[in-house]
Amino acid sequence: MTVLLARAALTDGGCRISVHLAVQDRQALILVLSHQSGHTPEDEGLLREVSAFCIASCGTDTDQKDGGAAAGL
């Protein structure tokens, strides 16, 4: 799952990503940040691909202030 999210973040043309891993309520939390300014999260294709795995929830978001996209679950 981490590779899938990191690959999606790297394909937006940015030079840098951040990967954050944690455990909460006995579940892995994976957050991948793309530091590409002015980008919006890609279409629902990534979410459909991620949802094929056994996950509790997932989503994408864009920070309009700092200009970066996030994909996580």
Side-chain angles (χ1 to χ4, degrees):
M1 182 56 57
T2 305
V3 171
L4 175 67
L5 294 175
R7 188 176 300 128
L10 287 168
T11 60
D12 73 2
C15 298
R16 177 172 65 102
I17 67 170
S18 299
V19 178
H20 303 267
L21 305 171
V23 175
Q24 180 178 335
D25 298 328
R26 299 178 59 182
Q27 294 181 343
L29 303 174
I30 305 168
L31 176 65
V32 178
L33 300 172
S34 169
H35 300 279
Q36 178 70 349
S37 181
H39 240 82
T40 58
E42 70 175 55
D43 66 321
E44 299 296 315
L46 175 62
L47 295 180
R48 278 193 296 277
E49 193 173 352
V50 168
S51 67
F53 294 87
C54 182
I55 59 170
S57 67
C58 65
T60 61
D61 193 11
T62 300
D63 179 348
Q64 296 298 330
K65 179 182 171 199
D66 293 329
L73 59 118

